[in-house]
Structures are given as C-alpha cells and as structure tokens.
Amino acid sequence: MKKTKPLRILTASDIKRNLERMAREILRHNKSTDTLAFIGIRTRGLFLAKRLRDIIKKSEGTELPVGEMDISLYRDDLNTLLPDGKTDHTRIPFDINDKTIILFDDVLNTGRTVRAAVDHLIDLGRPKAIHLAVLIDRGGREFPIAANYVAKKISLPSEGEVRLKMKEVDGKDEVIVTR
C-alpha cells in the first residue's frame, strides 16, 4: 500500500490552545491542587506534563510536581525492544502515595504503553487516583483503557501513523498523520 503525503492535523498554535483547554479541565475536575501531581511517559509525555504544569503555574500561581516515567522495563514486548537490558530512566522526585496522578502520553493507541505505566506506578506506591491525559486519541485499543483528558480524537487505520513533534525534541510543534 502506498503511503500518502503526511497530513498536519495540529499546528503549534492548535497544540498550545488544546493544552490550555486541558489545563482548565484538569483544574475543574480536581477541586484542589494540593494532592495533584503530573507524570510524563518518556519522551514527549514528559514535555506535555511540563507544559501543562507551566500553564497552571501561570494561571493559578501553583507549581505542581512533575515526574518522568520510563516504561521500557514494563512493556510486554521487552525482549524484542531491549535485548541488551537498558536501565530504567524513571525520575519521580515526590511521593506518589495518596496523590492524584495525571499520567501524560502523546498518542493513545492500543493502550499497551498506558498499561505498562500503570503497572510501574503501582510498583512505586499507592496513588489515590490515576488519570490519563493524551494529546491524541487515535483509537485501536487492545486493552480497556480510556483517557480522562484528550486534546483531539481521530480515527485512523492500524497501518496509519500519528507523530507528535515538539520543540523540545524535534525543533517544532505539530502533529502529523500518515496513512
């Protein structure tokens, strides 16, 4: 099957606007920020979490804690991904017990990454709640997982690909889709 030209579905300004909306939703659904903490799944989920933290700090004057999660060692396809046994790069500089954790990922597809992240979190402690925030929900679940906060939902065949590009990693902000 021939791939078509990539289609930009979100520009930098679209991403910014959606993150601001997500920040308002998170604040509305969580009565207090006292027990709220963000954890981003490496790599782009971390930068999404940091951006949301900055938006909330600017609007509320409250700086929420942000951690970074590497789910590599929790994936069900670990042996094919890490034959040399790389180490875990998880950095969570706060106690997750009794916190409402907002887990950030860039694209939600099968649910396998989120399942691995939840397994990892549970091994680290007992959060009060775990909510999921994603920039793109593209459908195609293999696990019964749904995001609490979604910037954009799209329907894409399994052979399609969604790529989030972020300034921090890729030099620019956009979301592109290939079919």
Side-chain angles (χ1 to χ4, degrees):
M1 174 185 250
K2 181 182 171 187
K3 280 193 173 182
T4 60
K5 181 181 173 189
L7 172 67
R8 181 184 300 129
I9 61 170
L10 291 178
T11 64
S13 61
D14 295 331
I15 292 170
K16 182 177 188 279
R17 189 171 45 257
N18 277 292
L19 292 179
E20 289 168 347
R21 180 183 48 79
M22 287 175 77
R24 288 190 303 272
E25 286 180 29
I26 288 169
L27 290 171
R28 190 171 51 249
H29 290 133
N30 295 278
K31 304 299 180 212
S32 169
T33 58
D34 294 343
T35 61
L36 198 58
F38 292 169
I39 296 178
I41 299 172
R42 282 176 57 108
T43 295
R44 288 165 185 82
L46 172 62
F47 295 114
L48 290 171
K50 287 180 175 183
R51 287 188 189 187
L52 264 287
R53 175 207 51 205
D54 294 345
I55 292 167
I56 289 172
K57 182 178 181 182
K58 186 176 178 182
S59 72
E60 302 295 310
T62 303
E63 186 163 349
L64 299 173
V66 174
E68 171 181 13
M69 178 172 282
D70 179 356
I71 56 97
S72 301
L73 298 176
Y74 285 80
R75 290 185 56 111
D76 55 11
D77 56 356
L78 174 65
N79 292 335
T80 60
L81 290 176
L82 298 173
D84 58 351
K86 294 189 179 179
T87 60
D88 181 11
H89 297 288
T90 296
R91 305 285 179 271
I92 301 175
F94 53 87
D95 183 7
I96 69 166
N97 290 301
D98 297 319
K99 292 251 193 298
T100 296
I101 303 295
I102 309 289
L103 187 62
F104 287 85
D105 199 6
D106 54 355
V107 178
L108 177 57
N109 184 14
T110 63
R112 290 179 180 277
T113 297
V114 175
R115 185 220 39 97
V118 169
D119 286 351
H120 194 357
L121 271 175
I122 298 305
D123 283 351
L124 296 173
R126 184 164 164 63
K128 182 169 84 175
I130 301 170
H131 297 171
L132 177 61
V134 298
L135 194 66
I136 303 293
D137 180 345
R138 61 160 287 162
R141 266 352 143 259
E142 295 174 4
F143 286 89
I145 291 175
N148 303 81
Y149 310 101
V150 178
K152 185 167 182 73
K153 287 186 178 191
I154 62 172
S155 182
L156 194 62
S158 60
E159 63 273 2
E161 182 183 355
V162 178
R163 280 216 51 227
L164 166 61
K165 293 184 181 181
M166 297 186 76
K167 284 180 201 171
E168 297 90 339
V169 181
D170 309 294
K172 66 178 179 177
D173 287 346
E174 69 178 354
V175 177
I176 58 171
V177 172
T178 59
R179 297 178 197 260

